[in-house]
Amino acid sequence: MASDPANSDPDPALGPPPRQTRTGHGDEPPRPAHRPNLTPMAPSSSTRAIIRAEGLSKTYQVAAKDPGLAGTLRHFVQRRYNAVAAVRDVSFQIQPGEMVGFLGPNGAGKTTTLKMLTGLIHPTAGQALVAGYTPHRRQANFLRRITLVMGQKQQLLWDLPALDSLRVNAAVYGIDEAESRHRIHALAEMLELGEELRRPLRKLSLGQRMKAELLAALLHRPEVLFLDEPTLGLDVNAQARVRSFLTDYNQRFGATVLLTSHYMADITALCPRVLLIHEGRLFHDGSLEALTQRLAPCREVRLELAEPWPLEALGAYGEVESCEGMVVRLLIRRDALTAAVSRLLAELPVRDLEVRDPPIEELIGRLFVQGALP
């Protein structure tokens, strides 16, 4: 992992971390004793948080133009702007090694928050601290400790084999040739990549390109991974392989992961904790299990009956969610579930019975529509 030697132990499997070197325009020598002033930040219950956001806000000035030629001419002479708040007063902390899901509908402010945490844009208000650095200062040591992967963007060169681009990345991060070969081989094994790395990137499938992008992003062994839709557009098998790799990487190197995804399977498989953002505001920070129980005080009981049954009679056992022929879905409160199931089996001609939690996708969808927790 490319990080300060004082703050990380070398991994025996992949060798020691690379030397701290000056590697590019505007770079600066390492200053291990430097830490940004934390006085304005709110008191914390833990000083070990590797990601801290306090009151982060971002407001854009968007040009307001009336349609048509007349509106264009007026806009040319006198421009008007509307203030659009993309992120509003967002605060949270993430401890080293955590894998946290960042959920929200399109336009909720997820990517904007990630861009502020990685230093791509300045916050309008508030502060962020990542791995001991203020992100928007873009210090060289900070950039060695993080990576940002965006499913809709690519950093590898389209017409070159991925291996050539990886060698360029290794040189940028000051990783010597022997060490870079070792790291590429180790990560390629974890990602199940082989000869694909020797083919031009345009010849690879979408899943192979995404895995090659992950390899490139992790070649310098960052401590903090910001992943924005890393499985976007991948088929089910490719998504499962990427999730397996991220779990393995987290366990092997103790990396911290902040993941956004519209595929709830990514979140349920990887992230015990979730942050929920809606219209720029953070309104939930906690475990996914606790959120599920809070959103779903009822469990879903699916019945397959041997003969039709009156709908009004089914309502005596719970809330009828749907009734299609012989198949009935009931919602029954958790505290009444055992007694209700016993009555159903004793009083109705039940062929099959299944008890489950409502799909998490439905729960999250309802939550975004409501805009607040129940």
Side-chain angles (χ1 to χ4, degrees):
M1 189 181 304
S3 59
D4 287 343
N7 292 298
S8 63
D9 296 324
D11 183 85
L14 298 184
R19 301 183 303 274
Q20 297 290 349
T21 58
R22 296 171 64 90
T23 58
H25 177 72
D27 204 353
E28 59 185 40
R31 293 179 288 178
H34 171 74
R35 289 293 182 271
N37 183 13
L38 298 183
T39 305
M41 302 284 281
S44 168
S45 59
S46 171
T47 58
R48 293 185 62 249
I50 195 167
I51 301 175
R52 298 178 64 189
E54 183 66 30
L56 274 186
S57 300
K58 182 64 180 178
T59 301
Y60 293 102
Q61 297 297 321
V62 179
K65 184 184 83 66
D66 296 327
L69 178 60
T72 300
L73 293 174
R74 281 196 298 270
H75 187 67
F76 181 77
V77 175
Q78 184 176 12
R79 292 181 179 269
R80 294 181 294 111
Y81 295 90
N82 294 329
V84 177
V87 176
R88 312 180 190 193
D89 195 28
V90 167
S91 300
F92 59 86
Q93 298 186 14
I94 298 176
Q95 304 302 317
E98 273 196 283
M99 298 186 77
V100 179
F102 198 23
L103 302 179
N106 290 331
K110 303 186 301 296
T111 300
T112 300
T113 302
L114 260 58
K115 286 182 176 179
M116 287 191 284
L117 293 174
T118 53
L120 293 178
I121 58 177
H122 289 225
T124 305
Q127 286 194 1
L129 201 66
V130 178
Y133 294 87
T134 301
H136 65 256
R137 294 180 182 173
R138 303 288 289 174
Q139 294 160 286
N141 285 339
F142 165 71
L143 297 178
R144 292 188 185 101
R145 290 175 169 223
I146 70 161
T147 195
L148 171 63
V149 177
M150 305 182 79
Q152 70 274 31
K153 305 286 184 182
Q154 67 178 49
Q155 60 171 310
L156 300 178
L157 298 178
W158 187 246
D159 292 313
L160 292 181
L163 198 54
D164 290 350
S165 295
L166 293 173
R167 287 169 177 160
V168 172
N169 279 23
V172 167
Y173 283 101
I175 307 171
D176 63 53
E177 187 175 352
E179 176 66 11
S180 68
R181 282 200 305 268
H182 189 60
R183 293 190 187 187
I184 291 170
H185 175 72
L187 288 170
E189 277 194 343
M190 293 170 66
L191 282 163
E192 300 179 11
L193 286 172
E195 288 301 313
E196 295 90 347
L197 295 179
R198 301 182 183 279
R199 300 174 195 159
L201 193 70
R202 56 187 168 81
K203 297 290 187 180
L204 301 183
S205 69
L206 179 59
Q208 291 168 341
R209 289 203 303 271
M210 192 64 242
K211 290 195 285 187
E213 292 284 349
L214 276 172
L215 198 162
L218 301 177
L219 187 60
H220 61 293
R221 285 196 223 149
E223 297 176 37
V224 185
L225 281 57
F226 296 99
L227 307 178
D228 189 18
E229 303 283 355
T231 59
L232 184 67
L234 303 186
D235 62 43
V236 173
N237 292 330
Q239 290 177 21
R241 292 190 191 100
V242 169
R243 288 195 292 266
S244 176
F245 166 74
L246 292 174
T247 300
D248 190 14
Y249 189 89
N250 169 260
Q251 293 173 351
R252 187 176 298 193
F253 301 114
T256 305
V257 179
L258 183 58
L259 166 72
T260 79
S261 180
H262 284 117
Y263 299 113
M264 283 306 302
D266 292 345
I267 303 299
T268 54
L270 296 172
C271 305
R273 174 185 168 197
V274 292
L275 306 171
L276 268 66
I277 190 170
H278 184 62
E279 296 180 349
R281 297 187 184 278
L282 192 70
F283 62 94
H284 175 77
D285 179 358
S287 74
L288 184 59
E289 181 181 359
L291 177 64
T292 302
Q293 292 181 356
R294 187 172 178 182
L295 292 177
C298 298
R299 299 197 72 185
E300 183 181 278
V301 177
R302 180 186 176 278
L303 296 170
E304 183 180 342
L305 302 176
E307 59 188 61
W309 208 258
L311 193 61
E312 58 275 10
L314 293 171
Y317 301 95
E319 179 184 345
V320 180
E321 192 173 27
S322 69
C323 182
E324 299 176 0
M326 307 289 188
V327 179
V328 181
R329 291 171 63 192
L330 299 173
L331 291 179
I332 302 175
R333 294 193 61 84
R334 293 174 185 269
D335 54 4
L337 182 64
T338 303
V341 168
S342 298
R343 287 179 57 208
L344 286 167
L345 293 173
E347 300 172 7
L348 299 184
V350 177
R351 274 186 183 162
D352 189 27
L353 184 146
E354 179 185 5
V355 179
R356 64 180 183 178
D357 284 315
I360 186 66
E361 293 88 348
E362 291 184 11
L363 299 178
I364 298 295
R366 292 176 199 161
L367 182 60
F368 291 153
V369 170
Q370 296 167 358
L373 283 169

